[in-house]
Amino acid sequence: MESSTSEIVIDATPLLRVYKDGRVERLMGTQIVSPGLDPKTNVESKDLVFSQETGQSVRLYIPKDVSTTQKLPLLVYFHGGAFCIETAFSPTYHNYLNSLVAEANVVAVSVDYRRAPEHPIPAAYDDSWDALKWVASHYGGNGPEEWLNRCVDFDRIYFSGDSAGANIAHHIAIKIAKEKLDGVNFAGLILLHPYFWGKEPVGDEVKDPAVRAKIEGLWRLASPTTTGCDDPWMNPIDNQSLATLGCARVLVCVAEKDMLRHRGWYYSEKLKQSGWGGEVELMEAQEEEHVFHLRKPSCESAVAKLKKVAAFMNQDKA
């Protein structure tokens, strides 16, 4: 008879496995790299705890040559990984944020949130909101971290994330419109291959019941009490008033060969129709797959995407 330590009860390969004794074995996104000065980009980083209650941290990035009087836009970034894998400290995200901060000349806060299945939804959203409140505590130069006190222009704050992180970024953007944070002027939202879904296909989205069931199963792993894929956390497009989005500009990036591509298009179209009144741009990478820019950062499409995101955050400079 198989022991409880080796019996698999949930096999979510290639992401993770859950065993009968409750152990979670993550199969990817487990590497961690230390912060510090990146010689390639000349960007410096360090880790800071934002919640004493949960012990969660952020990784803070700043261009090395920023002057003492210069105020830069701030990017608050939420990593992807289906709410279950990856961290803000993995080489994947460390390298991406170093490159983006250098290209855009911004300060960045990369949020490490608690992951499912040990910490099911809404833990990721709660942690992300707490991280934003920690960021906001630096408005006026009175926060615990000098880099944020000294270098951030709080009139130009952007939220971004990829996949599940883009989902989080959207929900934080909706929440900040309802629960204002002093000092946070939310200038724009950047959604990279957003992880949204729904019970019914949209556009030319995959209709194969087995494929759709697999995606729903992954969502249920992150949110065991969910009502399904039309849960407002997973399908905000049909369940929220997008008109309440708390910024005036949105950039949505999709990839032609990504199964989630149609949701990105759908989000953009629904946002335009919602009465929101802001400006939404959509960028599609041809012949590319989900989060290709993280796996192939030097390819032509990834470089173009990086430059687009960087330009988006600098568009409103005086």
Side-chain angles (χ1 to χ4, degrees):
M1 187 174 178
E2 198 169 17
S3 72
S4 61
T5 57
S6 60
E7 185 179 346
I8 298 170
V9 291
I10 299 174
D11 190 346
T13 305
L15 303 182
L16 53 78
R17 299 188 189 101
V18 181
Y19 293 85
K20 191 174 182 179
D21 65 355
R23 181 168 56 95
V24 177
E25 180 189 15
R26 289 183 168 82
L27 305 174
M28 58 191 300
T30 58
Q31 278 186 289
I32 288 176
V33 293
S34 298
L37 180 63
D38 177 49
K40 183 178 177 182
T41 59
N42 209 29
V43 170
E44 195 167 0
S45 58
K46 59 179 161 181
D47 296 341
L48 298 151
V49 173
F50 67 82
S51 171
Q52 296 299 327
E53 182 182 348
T54 64
Q56 293 304 119
S57 301
V58 296
R59 179 158 290 182
L60 178 59
Y61 297 83
I62 189 169
K64 180 67 174 173
D65 297 329
V66 61
S67 74
T68 55
T69 58
Q70 194 175 10
K71 297 286 188 178
L72 302 179
L74 174 68
L75 170 66
V76 181
Y77 193 87
F78 309 98
H79 71 80
F83 301 100
C84 297
I85 63 166
E86 280 290 356
T87 71
F89 318 120
S90 75
T92 297
Y93 289 101
H94 185 70
N95 293 337
Y96 176 68
L97 267 298
N98 275 326
S99 297
L100 182 55
V101 165
E103 180 68 32
N105 197 37
V106 298
V107 177
V109 170
S110 183
V111 179
D112 196 59
Y113 50 83
R114 288 171 295 168
R115 300 168 299 178
E118 301 97 324
H119 303 282
I121 298 299
Y125 302 107
D126 293 342
D127 289 349
S128 297
W129 182 251
D130 285 346
L132 186 61
K133 288 194 291 185
W134 178 83
V135 167
S137 74
H138 294 81
Y139 176 68
N142 298 313
E145 172 46 46
E146 185 56 30
W147 283 2
L148 295 179
N149 289 335
R150 178 170 54 87
C151 300
V152 169
D153 179 355
F154 283 88
D155 283 331
R156 292 184 289 160
I157 295 182
Y158 293 84
F159 302 160
S160 183
D162 63 284
S163 196
N167 176 305
I168 292 171
H170 161 81
H171 284 288
I172 296 298
I174 291 290
K175 186 166 184 172
I176 201 167
K178 298 174 183 176
E179 303 178 30
K180 302 288 186 183
L181 291 178
D182 287 343
V184 176
N185 182 52
F186 176 32
L189 178 64
I190 304 160
L191 303 182
L192 311 176
H193 308 176
Y195 180 39
F196 300 133
W197 203 245
K199 185 177 180 181
E200 298 299 326
V202 298
D204 293 327
E205 196 172 76
V206 61
K207 296 175 176 60
D208 184 335
V211 175
R212 298 191 71 84
K214 188 173 182 179
I215 294 174
E216 180 165 351
L218 190 57
W219 168 241
R220 287 188 182 277
L221 176 62
S223 183
T225 60
T226 185
T227 56
C229 282
D230 278 339
D231 184 325
W233 290 121
M234 192 56 161
N235 185 11
I237 306 167
D238 291 334
N239 289 283
Q240 286 179 341
S241 173
L242 295 182
T244 65
L245 199 65
C247 63
R249 296 171 54 235
V250 173
L251 171 64
V252 180
C253 296
V254 298
E256 184 183 15
K257 293 184 176 180
D258 182 5
M259 194 185 305
L260 301 178
R261 162 185 181 258
H262 304 283
R263 290 283 156 175
W265 276 97
Y266 188 55
Y267 180 96
S268 300
E269 291 307 311
K270 286 291 186 179
L271 187 56
K272 290 175 186 176
Q273 298 164 13
S274 70
W276 164 59
E279 176 190 346
V280 58
E281 297 179 67
L282 189 136
M283 180 184 193
E284 180 163 18
Q286 303 301 312
E287 298 294 319
E288 298 292 358
E289 298 182 345
H290 190 60
V291 296
F292 71 92
H293 62 290
L294 298 177
R295 296 192 307 272
K296 305 183 298 178
S298 59
C299 76
E300 185 178 344
S301 293
V303 172
K305 184 176 177 180
L306 187 79
K307 290 184 179 297
K308 177 67 174 178
V309 171
F312 183 85
M313 288 188 284
N314 285 284
Q315 191 172 315
D316 58 354
K317 278 189 175 178

